Amino acid sequence: MEIRKNDTFTIDITGMTHEGQGVGRIENFTVFVDGAVEGETADIRIIKITKSYAAGKLIRLVKTAPARTRPFCGVYGRCGGCSLQHIDYEAQLKFKTGVVREAVKRIGKLEDVVVHETIGMSRALNYRNKAQFPVGFSGDAPVIGFYASRSHSIINSDICGIQDEKSDRIREVVRKFLIDNSVSVYDEVTGKGLVRHVMTRTGFKTGEVMVVVVINGSSLPSGQQLVDSLCREVPDIRSIILNINTKNTNVVLGERNKVLYGNDTITDYIGKFKFEISPLSFFQVNPVQTEVLYGKALEYAQLSGSETVFDLYCGIGTIALFLSEKSKKVYGVEVVEDAVRDAKRNARINNVENAEFIAGEAEVVVPGIYRQGVRADVVVVDPPRKGCDERLLETLVKMDPSRILYVSCNPSTLARDLNYLAANGYRAVEIQPVDMFPHTGHVETVVRLDRKHS
Ligand code: SAH
């Protein structure tokens, strides 16, 4: 059968992609449908067609899955943020467990590893401590919202149900400031205009708030007015920063910051540890689930107090400090220099004396210190989405630690790296997915790997 754009079909949704799109078939041809759930039957219209697959738009549900629920957000389906809001929370957790199990089996080729059920949140709303709003315009009016799915058009909105509520108040104040002062907003196409992004960060335990205004220029006209309004309208503002980004790229933050008001960091706690967080440093976005995740890592590490531990891709040293109490010595390695500076300071603030932090790429630093004779008993890796560089994994295998903990935000690259480690002497024993990103297709996991020989 020939399938053409705008043709309509009634199809059964027989699977889901990792991002939560429904998958169906027209004869042997695969069709992806946003917003459709496994088990449903739907009328769809073909909106895109390639050699190997088609994309369909959901027109009407003929049969509804029991897992379907009503999305809580007014811009659901237009905003690219939450692709699973139409699935009830329990079913979301099952879906995520399935994604991890599938990856481990299909990509990792591991058969005997236990993948536990995903640990969810008791209240899966307003869980994010960081928002990054793109700023643009619609007609003449500035808009501050989120990108639409697979696009850079900005969906203006006032409320985001997964963000800390203060971030909504902040963007309202900034929007008003832009209008009242006729401040220009950035246009990606021409590279002209001033204000590009507004980033907000909140300390969940301290309440402290940081606002970062990213600009394509070196100063913000009437900046003092913005400071005054934010301090008046939003409680607990501790830091207002101008971030300078004049490059015409998709990278949100530039390298240079200017303090407009208050401190250059805010403070928050994970467990009993206190952290100072800079605008450019990575800090976990869901502090409640981070504690769950780190707790699991600590449990899996089975430390006795005599071990040397590596925390690779350490950010501002959060995992390192968590593990420091039960180890002899902890080394943290991180590529962002600001984060390493924060990590050192965080160790000092928390009176941790057995942690050392090194700036650089893990795949370069670790082979270097290995050559100098440094050895680890337990290694934690927590890489970005692309996973670990093979040069790092090679060195770890040579170093021969008794245990490796792999913390990952991407099941596919995790599974790839577990496959490498399995072939080189490390058995994945247990995998615990943790839901750090409710209502989105993302899932975090921690894996315990033991050395096969004793
Ligand atoms: N473990 C930390 C941070 C994890 S996010 C936490 O739980 O908060 C991943 C971190 O890896 C980021 O801080 C990023 O800057 C860093 N990173 C990315 N590539 C790296 C590399 N090649 N070597 C070391 N760190 C890297």
Side-chain angles (χ1 to χ4, degrees), residues 1-12:
M1 185 197 326
E2 208 187 323
I3 302 170
R4 278 168 314 219
K5 202 168 160 182
N6 288 326
D7 285 354
T8 54
F9 296 91
T10 301
I11 63 169
D12 291 330

Side-chain angles (χ1 to χ4, degrees), residues 223-253:
Q224 189 55 41
Q225 275 197 41
L226 178 64
V227 169
D228 293 344
S229 323
L230 283 170
C231 290
R232 194 173 56 237
E233 306 280 338
V234 186
D236 302 317
I237 294 268
R238 288 298 145 82
S239 167
I240 302 175
I241 308 269
L242 274 186
N243 175 270
I244 316 294
N245 184 2
T246 53
K247 289 192 186 142
N248 193 357
T249 68
N250 285 341
V251 179
V252 174
L253 295 173

Side-chain angles (χ1 to χ4, degrees), residues 262-280:
N263 304 332
D264 58 356
T265 57
I266 56 164
T267 309
D268 202 15
Y269 288 82
I270 299 177
K272 63 174 193 184
F273 294 102
K274 183 176 175 180
F275 294 97
E276 286 191 0
I277 309 152
S278 304
L280 297 182

Side-chain angles (χ1 to χ4, degrees), residues 282-284 290 293-294 311-319 333-336 339 360-363 382-384 386:
F282 177 91
F283 188 67
Q284 294 284 357
T290 298
L293 181 77
Y294 290 178
D311 174 11
L312 308 179
Y313 310 87
C314 70
I316 61 171
T318 39
I319 296 179
V333 180
E334 161 64 43
V335 74
V336 174
E361 291 175 321
E363 58 272 26
D382 184 5
K386 68 173 194 251

